[in-house]
Amino acid sequence: MGGKSEEESSASEYGEPGKYDPSFNGPIHKRSCTDIICCILFMAAIAGYMIVGILAWLYGDPRHVLYPRNSTGMFCGIGLNKGKPSVFYFDLLKCATATNVMAAALNGLQCPTTQVCVDQCPGDFWILSPGAYLPTAKAKDFFQQQYCVPSFNLSTTDLTAKEIVDKELCPSFYIPTSSVLGRCLPSLGLLNNIPSNFTLPGMASVNDTANALKNATSDVLSGFNLRQVGVRIFEDFASSWYWILIGLLIAMLLSLIFLLLLRFMAPVLVWLLIVGVLGVVAYGIWHCYWEYDNYKNSSTTISNLGFTTNFSAYLQVKETWLAFLIILCILEAILLLVLLFLRTRILIAIALIQESSKAVGHMMSTLLYPLVTFALLIVCIAYWGITALYLATSGAPIYKVVALNSSTNSCLAINGTETCDPLSFNSSAYMSCPSAQCIFIKYNTEGLFQQNLFNLQIYNVLAFLWCVNFVIALGQCTLAGAFASYYWAFSKPSDIPTFPLSQAFIRSLRYHVGSLAFGALILTIVQFIRIVLEYLDHKFRAAQNPCARFIMCCLKCCFWCLEKFIKFINRNAYIMIAIYGKNFCVSAKNAFSLLMRNILRVVVLDKVTDLLLLFGKLLVVGGVGVLAFFFFSGRIQLPGNAFNSQTLNYYWVPIITVIVGAYLIAHGFFSVYNMCVDTLFLCFLEDLERNDGTVEKPYYMSKNLMKILNKKNKVPKGGK
């Protein structure tokens, strides 16, 4: 006696149940702006983000990334070098023997050798003939002007071939190369076919020459060979884009068909799913018993094996299969007990899924809203990428005098210590070091803007994450407002407001930008911490001991769980904001308390819905993926050879594109459906707490739900 019931205890611990409000019949229209301070902060952050973008546009120059440079710092392919899109390296061997100064150069693409812009990369092997070094030889008879420094004129020079080579005015050799991202780089395969007379100075044989060239180019090629792959992938897209679009259209139709089946066959699909899970576990039990029976007479035991890295050996021991058998039997028993005791709540989940299908059917425009979210996300991603590119190329380029041959003390003294202007550089000013060149080193980091580039990049990432999370929050709040207006319409569909999706969208933007930004900011902070942890883990992985790796792993796991929890809280908070128009903290508290007062229903509904929607996604993506595989691999032939798979370089390119596109389409459709289920579920819980089925306080839930809960609305006197 005197003790509290379980419901009373739960109510006191997680707040009091909702009270009846005669004026409440759906999303409140008379509401005020919420979380104004956070709204102002968000607007200020957006304004700052725009200012950062403008400054990056003013100071940045993406040509540094898009176009290669010659030794004078001029871009190839534009300006004075228009028509010469590729940069040619005089001596690629020096790329492998670069000084420490040059190792700090941008992207490692600057080598301590002369580079000139050319219209076409060399296509054959050539090496300066020994006859060029004879006193009577004329240099113009041995070199080609197109590969020489533009300011050097072969036809009028009095220099000998040796002087030309020493000053690097013309190359002493070149090999077959092709343009890769604007750089003339050799193919490693061609280096196996070097002519017998092609031996570089200082090399004992042709093999030594080939090995030296391979070592000098392999690291560079590892990054640039992607260009050739990219061109082939582009060709595959160009020849198969029409059929890719057809595959995506099939994915959209399959998603719509599955959602339509949910409306009329939700009970069948849910029970098939449950029976399927039970059947899979039952098959596992039988298989484990069969394997145990096969090995029961074996003399090998776990203790005999001990610890071994050959894990397949454990599958030949009866104790292993006995352990699997016991685990699966316990799991099957737990599933059966859950099904037995929670069958009513499973029926509620099925009824809510059916009701969600009806809501989506009455508001088909909600299925198109993911396109709005997708477009806004594309804008955010594009702005972030462009801003990051311009910030990375901010600042004027810095050039320094670099000795191509640093064997003398005078060369070592000036190597990387003096700045220079590549357009006015004169190597004759360095008589003690004739191999001196003016080489690009890095971008200027002086000045207030350049000194804060790292901080601006961090701001770029934070603002990007905040904007992305806000766009997702806006979509969730908008859909929640539309579906809540459906649930709280007493007579459906006649009482559903006109244009519920548009009204919910306008309400969210007019009143709740601050609340949505507040929730997005909390999630952004956690995501940024996770990014920092990943960066630190990658940066110090080699120096970490096992204890440090364990701590880092625990931190990453904890923040991953925290991010999932915050997403769950935010999602339900946005639903309450859409309905009642209160600020974020109050809405999050009310939503959490409401869910905790009905925790069993939450768990069952969440798992049943998640499994069903996962089943739907796998069905759509798997079906379209299998169809795409058989079609693009040539196993399915169209009449009249409408498509020939032999024209594809990589038939997996359109297959992967179709699979990824099908997943995004299915995720877009099912995310709307999932939001509908979550919204109607919270409304259903509120309905149970606010109303009791009397004439004054009737239930808004469907008749199917009332039938499952053994509840009904009393009909007023004289009513039907």
Side-chain angles (χ1 to χ4, degrees):
M1 294 180 63
K4 294 183 179 180
S5 66
E6 183 180 351
E7 292 184 359
E8 291 175 343
S9 175
S10 176
S12 62
E13 185 177 353
Y14 298 108
E16 296 295 328
K19 304 298 182 182
Y20 173 71
D21 183 1
S23 63
F24 178 77
N25 60 350
I28 296 172
H29 294 279
K30 292 184 179 181
R31 55 180 72 195
S32 58
C33 296
T34 55
D35 295 306
I36 299 176
I37 296 178
C38 197
C39 177
I40 296 173
L41 288 176
F42 183 64
M43 294 302 175
I46 295 296
Y49 201 17
M50 295 176 65
I51 293 174
V52 170
I54 293 172
L55 290 175
W57 181 75
L58 291 175
Y59 287 96
D61 189 355
R63 294 182 302 173
H64 299 318
V65 176
L66 300 176
Y67 299 99
R69 292 173 176 270
N70 62 12
S71 294
T72 63
M74 300 181 67
F75 296 109
C76 297
I78 58 175
L80 296 176
N81 290 317
K82 188 175 183 180
K84 298 180 178 179
S86 302
V87 65
F88 167 67
Y89 299 88
F90 275 20
D91 190 355
L92 271 175
L93 292 177
K94 293 181 179 178
C95 294
T97 58
T99 63
N100 291 333
V101 174
M102 295 315 304
L106 179 67
N107 294 332
L109 300 181
Q110 293 293 335
C111 300
T113 185
T114 302
Q115 301 147 43
V116 296
C117 297
V118 295
D119 57 348
Q120 190 173 2
C121 296
D124 54 1
F125 289 96
W126 175 85
I127 190 168
L128 187 62
S129 172
Y133 296 100
L134 297 176
T136 59
K138 295 181 179 180
K140 63 180 181 180
D141 296 333
F142 295 92
F143 296 99
Q144 297 185 43
Q145 180 67 55
Q146 60 177 327
Y147 298 125
C148 294
V149 175
S151 60
F152 174 66
N153 193 337
L154 268 174
S155 60
T156 60
T157 184
D158 294 329
L159 298 175
T160 64
K162 185 177 186 308
E163 291 173 331
I164 292 174
V165 172
D166 290 342
K167 293 179 178 291
E168 289 207 12
L169 298 174
C170 295
S172 61
F173 74 95
Y174 55 73
I175 58 178
T177 56
S178 57
S179 183
V180 181
L181 292 182
R183 279 87 178 172
C184 292
L185 298 176
S187 171
L188 292 177
L190 291 175
L191 296 179
N192 296 323
N193 301 317
I194 295 181
S196 58
N197 62 342
F198 194 88
T199 303
L200 297 180
M203 302 293 173
S205 64
V206 175
N207 290 334
D208 292 342
T209 300
N211 292 332
L213 290 172
K214 287 180 181 179
N215 293 334
T217 58
S218 58
D219 292 338
V220 182
L221 284 172
S222 62
F224 287 109
N225 277 338
L226 296 176
R227 169 71 179 270
Q228 297 178 3
V229 177
V231 171
R232 293 173 182 169
I233 289 176
F234 180 79
E235 292 175 351
D236 291 341
F237 278 123
S239 61
S240 62
W241 67 270
Y242 180 77
W243 302 103
I244 291 175
L245 290 180
I246 292 178
L248 298 180
L249 181 62
I250 293 174
M252 184 179 69
L253 293 176
L254 287 177
S255 300
L256 290 173
I257 291 173
F258 188 82
L259 293 180
L260 187 64
L261 289 175
L262 281 179
R263 181 169 183 175
F264 300 102
M265 300 177 59
V268 176
L269 292 176
V270 171
W271 288 115
L272 277 177
L273 182 63
I274 294 173
V275 172
V277 172
L278 292 173
V280 168
V281 178
Y283 170 78
I285 293 173
W286 175 83
H287 182 78
C288 291
Y289 175 77
W290 181 74
E291 293 284 357
Y292 173 76
D293 188 62
N294 289 337
Y295 292 106
K296 66 179 181 180
N297 295 325
S298 174
S299 59
T300 305
T301 61
I302 293 287
S303 58
N304 293 337
L305 282 177
F307 178 77
T308 176
T309 55
N310 183 18
F311 294 103
S312 60
Y314 293 109
L315 298 180
Q316 301 175 7
V317 180
K318 62 181 179 180
E319 285 91 338
T320 303
W321 293 107
L322 180 61
F324 288 159
L325 178 64
I326 295 173
I327 293 172
L328 289 179
C329 287
I330 294 174
L331 179 61
E332 185 82 350
I334 292 174
L335 291 176
L336 289 174
L337 290 174
V338 168
L339 182 63
L340 179 64
F341 290 103
L342 300 181
R343 61 186 183 279
T344 302
R345 292 180 172 84
I346 294 175
L347 293 175
I348 295 174
I350 294 173
L352 278 173
I353 291 172
Q354 288 180 301
E355 195 67 16
S356 300
S357 300
K358 293 179 182 178
V360 173
H362 287 301
M363 295 181 290
M364 293 295 292
S365 59
T366 55
L367 292 176
L368 299 177
Y369 188 83
L371 295 178
V372 178
T373 301
F374 180 75
L376 293 175
L377 290 177
I378 290 295
V379 171
C380 294
I381 294 172
Y383 187 83
W384 165 77
I386 294 173
T387 303
L389 176 62
Y390 273 85
L391 285 174
T393 56
S394 297
I398 294 178
Y399 298 86
K400 288 192 176 184
V401 180
V402 175
L404 303 180
N405 181 8
S406 58
S407 58
T408 63
N409 292 331
S410 57
C411 284
L412 291 173
I414 66 171
N415 193 22
T417 61
E418 298 183 16
T419 58
C420 56
D421 183 357
L423 297 179
S424 60
F425 180 76
N426 187 3
S427 60
S428 61
Y430 300 90
M431 299 299 295
S432 60
C433 189
S435 64
Q437 291 277 338
C438 187
I439 300 294
F440 166 76
I441 296 297
K442 63 178 181 178
Y443 293 108
N444 181 22
T445 56
E446 299 177 358
L448 181 62
F449 181 75
Q450 283 76 22
Q451 288 177 351
N452 290 279
L453 284 179
F454 181 74
N455 297 331
L456 292 175
Q457 287 285 21
I458 292 178
Y459 183 83
N460 185 27
V461 173
L462 282 171
F464 165 70
L465 292 175
W466 199 358
C467 290
V468 167
N469 289 324
F470 175 81
V471 168
I472 295 174
L474 177 62
Q476 292 176 343
C477 190
T478 299
L479 291 173
F483 292 127
S485 64
Y486 167 85
Y487 184 93
W488 296 108
F490 189 74
S491 299
K492 304 175 180 64
S494 58
D495 290 346
I496 299 176
T498 308
F499 306 117
L501 185 65
S502 301
Q503 292 184 21
F505 182 75
I506 294 172
R507 283 197 303 268
S508 299
L509 281 181
R510 182 178 178 183
Y511 298 107
H512 305 303
V513 169
S515 297
L516 301 181
F518 190 9
L521 178 61
I522 297 173
L523 185 58
T524 296
I525 294 172
V526 175
Q527 289 174 338
F528 183 74
I529 293 174
R530 288 192 63 201
I531 292 175
V532 172
L533 289 175
E534 291 290 346
Y535 173 78
L536 294 176
D537 185 36
H538 176 74
K539 197 74 174 177
F540 303 111
R541 182 178 296 273
Q544 288 177 358
N545 55 36
C547 182
R549 285 197 296 269
F550 174 76
I551 294 174
M552 180 62 71
C553 183
C554 291
L555 286 174
K556 289 162 62 176
C557 180
C558 290
F559 277 98
W560 179 84
C561 295
L562 180 60
E563 181 183 352
K564 294 297 181 182
F565 177 74
I566 290 176
K567 284 182 177 180
F568 174 77
I569 293 296
N570 284 3
R571 184 183 183 88
N572 291 285
Y574 299 148
I575 296 173
M576 301 299 277
I577 290 172
I579 299 174
Y580 299 105
K582 296 182 180 180
N583 62 45
F584 177 82
C585 292
V586 173
S587 299
K589 173 181 174 296
N590 292 340
F592 183 75
S593 299
L594 179 63
L595 293 173
M596 290 304 295
R597 292 196 296 268
N598 300 271
I599 187 63
L600 284 179
R601 287 172 178 161
V602 172
V603 173
V604 173
L605 177 74
D606 184 60
K607 294 308 173 187
V608 170
T609 306
D610 287 349
L611 283 174
L612 189 59
L613 296 183
L614 176 62
F615 173 73
K617 287 181 184 179
L618 292 177
L619 188 65
V620 172
V621 176
V624 174
V626 170
L627 181 63
F629 171 76
F630 280 100
F631 178 74
F632 289 111
S633 63
R635 289 171 172 80
I636 296 179
Q637 297 290 338
L638 293 178
N641 291 326
F643 176 78
N644 185 6
S645 62
Q646 299 299 323
T647 60
L648 297 176
N649 296 299
Y650 310 108
Y651 71 86
W652 47 264
V653 170
I655 295 175
I656 293 178
T657 305
V658 169
I659 290 175
V660 173
Y663 174 80
L664 293 176
I665 290 173
H667 180 73
F669 280 111
F670 289 110
S671 65
V672 172
Y673 194 89
N674 204 8
M675 195 68 203
C676 182
V677 172
D678 290 345
T679 303
L680 296 188
F681 180 60
L682 282 182
C683 294
F684 162 73
L685 298 179
E686 285 275 326
D687 194 10
L688 284 176
E689 292 186 351
R690 286 176 174 273
N691 305 310
D692 57 9
T694 60
V695 176
E696 295 80 11
K697 297 187 288 184
Y699 291 116
Y700 284 78
M701 69 184 73
S702 65
K703 293 181 179 179
N704 190 20
L705 275 171
M706 286 191 284
K707 181 180 179 182
I708 294 172
L709 296 172
N710 292 321
K711 297 180 182 294
K712 62 180 180 177
N713 284 332
K714 295 182 179 179
V715 181
K717 293 182 179 180
K720 295 182 179 180

